[in-house]
Amino acid sequence: MKSSYQDTVEEVRNLKGIEEAIALAIEREIEARDFYLQKATLMDNPKFKELYEHLAGEEVKHIGYLEGYRDKKELPAISTEVPSGQSFSPEFDVSRTKVGEITPGDTGILLAAMRHERKSEDFYSEMAKRIEDETQKKFFEMLSRYERGHYEIIDSYLENVTQFRMQT
């Protein structure tokens, strides 16, 4: 049985050029944005709603970067330095979200979100490894780091509400 990472490696290997990679990345970022927006509408807890709205906004930025490259064949003039994941740190009001108050559904959504972010991180990381052009390599490395930051944000939410930390 192949791992998710092995699937990603194979998927990247089978891409027919940067244009196909960009198209696939845009498609996935749109799916992620829609997932987060849909989950935000279902949340009663304002901190979860805020998290999913934030992540949807991040995916919109990524779509913009990727579409800019697709349309202009130029990488966006953005810093390749990714701010610390602490730029959006969850502030849990313990009186609102206590250990045990998170529902299995909430946990499932967080885990699905983490899985998506990890797959995106792997995809961009694998693209960066296979690209010779240094500017394109840095672009994909930057996107990979953004996805890693999102994964860590979601993980910190999960840790706060379950007192459990994934080993990453």
Side-chain angles (χ1 to χ4, degrees):
M1 185 174 178
K2 288 192 299 189
S3 72
S4 175
Y5 183 75
Q6 289 169 321
D7 287 341
T8 300
V9 170
E10 188 173 316
E11 178 181 47
V12 170
R13 188 180 306 128
N14 292 330
L15 290 171
K16 295 169 183 67
I18 187 89
E19 289 78 16
E20 191 174 335
I22 295 290
L24 180 58
I26 290 170
E27 185 180 306
R28 288 189 175 166
E29 296 289 350
I30 289 170
E31 287 173 10
R33 177 205 61 199
D34 293 349
F35 172 81
Y36 290 132
L37 287 174
Q38 193 248 351
K39 296 309 176 196
T41 64
L42 300 175
M43 293 294 114
D44 292 328
N45 183 312
K47 294 313 290 183
F48 283 107
K49 184 176 194 66
E50 178 186 359
L51 169 67
Y52 295 130
E53 287 172 348
H54 169 77
L55 290 169
E58 290 293 297
E59 304 304 346
V60 168
K61 288 180 199 173
H62 299 177
I63 293 165
Y65 301 153
L66 292 158
E67 287 177 340
Y69 179 80
R70 178 196 65 198
D71 298 342
K72 299 175 189 162
K73 299 296 183 246
E74 294 175 1
L75 295 174
I78 55 174
S79 169
T80 55
E81 293 302 312
V82 177
S84 160
Q86 297 309 308
S87 63
F88 178 80
S89 57
E91 305 251 342
F92 273 87
D93 177 349
V94 183
S95 68
R96 288 181 159 247
T97 309
K98 294 180 183 170
V99 174
E101 287 184 353
I102 185 171
T103 68
D106 293 335
T107 303
I109 293 168
L110 288 170
L111 292 172
M114 288 173 75
R115 186 169 188 266
H116 167 76
E117 297 298 340
R118 174 56 64 82
K119 285 179 76 168
S120 294
E121 176 189 0
D122 291 346
F123 177 79
Y124 291 132
S125 176
E126 197 57 32
M127 285 299 301
K129 289 178 192 172
R130 294 175 182 276
I131 290 181
E132 307 251 337
D133 179 274
E134 199 56 36
T135 305
Q136 291 176 354
K137 181 182 288 293
K138 285 186 180 192
F139 177 64
F140 284 108
E141 287 171 347
M142 174 200 69
L143 289 171
S144 178
R145 288 191 306 271
Y146 277 136
E147 302 298 353
R148 174 43 114 179
H150 299 163
Y151 179 93
E152 290 173 358
I153 289 168
I154 299 163
D155 187 43
S156 69
Y157 266 67
L158 196 57
E159 178 184 22
N160 273 291
V161 296
T162 64
Q163 298 301 302
F164 176 75
R165 181 89 175 152
M166 299 287 287
Q167 295 300 312
T168 57

